[in-house]
């Protein structure tokens, strides 16, 4: 049996992370927050039209978090791929990161596609026509290779071109199911690909994974200032959400001709690019990945860029980035989890 968005699956995917109270008036300036443990109970709440609603609303952590923590206990490392900007290549980078990690035959890797409205990971991995099966143990991810699995909403759409037109609570409910009900098994790495921004999906993933632990986030940008503007917001989001930043990658950093290997700057780093931003913020600069038109071709055909073009400068750069990411994670393992 495969879950489908055409017919309701046996789980309630529309359930929000935690029922939010329906307010009758806007939140005042000093509101502690309608989901806060002190909502409706502090002096700042006196006289507020929402006081009774907030004071009687359910409070406390999501009751499914212990179940999620138990389900993910067999996953050694969890990595987030983030960027406040769209179009910088997060999904492409996530697939290549997963392929690179899975190049080690002793490692088992999973990708969770949380881009609910634009799920492109299955296409890039060549499994867009596969389906997810449900058993007593939970949802089974789609296996791309013996040591590489993926889960995405794309597998549940009635048609490949069908739009997902959902509000936040329903998207959050599906992300919760990906974490709570998918039988990932024993993984060395779970790569979580996220959509642009700092909104529902990011908050859901962070809140649901806090107890089970996230090793950190890899932030992706392109060289131009327009992209860096949004990445700065993502850095601020990580600081406020308590997410450790493993480092910053500059994607599409120049174009490498596949024939002569001459490199041209397509997106000029008018303000110093990702490396200067990393210096300004004290974040590790993981490296630059140049453009290569064969990356897009490999994604269109669902092939591994590493297997098809191992000598590409982009491939060499990606191996360097992956090596630095895994080295940082291993250092965390040796030293214990530092404070975020």
């Amino acid at each position: 049996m495969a879950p489908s968005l055409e017919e309701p699956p046996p789980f309630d995917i529309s359930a929000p992370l935690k029922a939010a109270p329906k307010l009758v008036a806007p939140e005042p300036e000093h509101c502690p927050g309608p989901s806060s443990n002190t909502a409706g109970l502090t002096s700042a709440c006196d006289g507020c039209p929402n006081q009774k609603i907030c004071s009687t609303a359910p409070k406390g952590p999501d009751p499914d978090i212990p179940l999620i923590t138990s389900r993910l206990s067999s996953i050694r490392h969890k990595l987030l791929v983030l960027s406040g900007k769209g179009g910088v290549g997060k999904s492409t980078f996530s697939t290549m990161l997963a392929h690179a990690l899975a190049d080690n035959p002793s490692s088992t890797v999973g990708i969770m596609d949380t881009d609910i409205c634009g799920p492109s990971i299955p296409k890039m991995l060549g499994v867009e026509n596969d389906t997810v099966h449900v058993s007593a143990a939970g949802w089974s991810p789609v296996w791309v290779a013996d040591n590489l699995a993926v889960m995405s909403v794309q597998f549940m759409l009635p048609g490949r071109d069908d739009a997902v037109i959902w509000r936040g609570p329903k998207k959050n409910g599906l992300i919760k199911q990906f974490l709570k009900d998918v039988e990932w098994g024993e993984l060395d790495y779970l790569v979580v690909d996220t959509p642009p921004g700092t909104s529902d999906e990011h908050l859901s993933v962070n809140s649901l994974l806090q107890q089970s632990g996230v090793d950190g986030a890899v932030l992706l940008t392109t060289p131009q200032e327009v992209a860096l503007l949004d990445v700065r917001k993502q850095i601020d989001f990580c600081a406020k959400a308590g997410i450790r930043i493993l480092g910053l990658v500059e994607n599409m950093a120049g174009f490498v001709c596949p024939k002569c290997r001459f490199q041209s700057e397509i997106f000029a780093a008018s303000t110093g690019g990702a490396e200067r931003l990393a210096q300004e913020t004290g974040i590790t600069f993981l490296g630059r990945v140049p453009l290569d038109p064969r990356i897009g071709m490999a994604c269109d055909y669902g092939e591994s860029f590493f297997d098809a073009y191992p000598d590409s400068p982009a491939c060499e750069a990606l191996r360097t980035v992956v090596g630095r990411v895994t080295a940082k994670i291993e250092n965390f393992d040796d030293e214990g989890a530092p404070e975020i």
Side-chain angles (χ1 to χ4, degrees):
M1 176 182 175
S4 168
L5 297 185
E6 197 169 30
E7 297 179 3
F11 309 102
D12 181 12
I13 63 176
S14 64
L17 295 180
K18 187 166 56 178
K22 295 182 179 179
L23 306 181
V24 297
E27 298 173 26
E29 183 179 354
H30 300 294
C31 176
S35 299
S36 167
N37 288 330
T38 60
L41 305 175
T42 68
S43 58
C45 302
D46 292 343
C48 176
N50 301 316
Q51 185 171 18
K52 186 174 180 180
I53 298 173
C54 292
S55 63
T56 57
K59 298 178 178 64
D62 191 304
D64 284 329
I65 288 180
L67 298 176
I68 292 170
T69 302
S70 175
R71 173 71 85 175
L72 302 182
S73 61
S74 58
I75 300 175
R76 290 182 58 211
H77 301 295
K78 305 171 195 71
L79 311 175
L80 308 180
V81 178
L82 305 174
S83 177
K85 187 70 174 173
V88 299
K90 288 184 300 301
S91 295
T92 302
F93 178 82
S94 294
T95 57
M96 291 195 290
L97 173 62
H99 273 303
L101 294 170
D103 266 353
N104 181 352
S106 63
S107 294
T108 305
V109 183
I111 307 182
M112 191 175 82
D113 185 0
T114 65
D115 194 342
I116 306 300
C117 296
S120 55
I121 295 288
K123 173 69 174 177
M124 295 178 178
L125 293 175
V127 291
E128 65 173 333
N129 294 321
D130 286 43
T131 56
V132 174
H133 296 280
V134 177
S135 66
W139 292 7
S140 299
V142 171
W143 289 89
V144 181
D146 290 341
N147 63 339
L148 178 58
V150 60
M151 176 56 73
S152 171
V153 71
Q154 182 66 39
F155 300 131
M156 306 173 195
L157 297 178
R160 56 172 286 178
D161 297 327
D162 288 4
V164 178
I165 308 173
W166 287 356
R167 294 188 186 276
K170 200 165 185 178
K171 290 194 287 185
N172 295 342
L174 184 61
I175 291 172
K176 179 192 281 190
Q177 281 200 267
F178 282 176
L179 295 170
K180 179 171 69 77
D181 297 319
V182 174
E183 181 58 38
W184 290 103
E186 292 191 6
L187 295 180
D188 293 286
Y189 299 95
L190 178 64
V191 178
V192 182
D193 180 50
T194 64
T198 55
S199 191
D200 290 320
E201 294 90 339
H202 310 79
L203 292 169
S204 298
V205 169
N206 184 54
S207 62
L208 293 171
L209 287 180
Q210 270 190 339
Q211 193 169 334
S212 63
V214 176
D215 288 83
V218 176
L219 269 58
L220 208 67
T221 185
T222 46
Q224 71 273 36
E225 178 61 22
V226 170
L228 295 172
L229 281 171
D230 290 340
V231 175
R232 289 188 181 93
K233 295 178 176 65
Q234 191 74 66
I235 293 171
D236 183 57
F237 169 82
C238 289
K240 291 175 178 176
I243 300 173
R244 180 194 296 122
I245 298 176
L246 297 174
L248 186 61
V249 177
E250 186 174 272
N251 199 25
M252 308 182 197
F255 165 73
V256 177
C257 175
K259 295 182 179 180
C260 68
R261 290 201 172 195
F262 179 77
Q263 182 164 327
S264 305
E265 298 301 322
I266 304 298
F267 303 113
S270 57
T271 58
E275 187 168 14
R276 179 178 291 182
L277 176 60
Q279 292 171 351
E280 292 172 353
T281 55
I283 296 171
T284 301
F285 181 61
L286 296 172
R288 296 181 177 86
V289 180
L291 275 167
D292 188 323
R294 296 172 297 184
I295 294 177
M297 187 180 299
C299 290
D300 282 349
Y301 286 99
E303 300 173 347
S304 169
F305 180 69
F306 286 94
D307 293 341
Y309 307 103
D311 297 328
S312 163
C315 198
E316 295 169 5
L318 281 162
R319 286 198 182 97
T320 300
V321 169
V322 172
R324 289 170 178 169
V325 169
T326 53
K328 291 205 72 168
I329 292 173
E330 288 169 3
N331 287 339
F332 294 151
D333 286 344
D334 294 339
E335 300 169 5
E339 293 185 3
I340 299 174

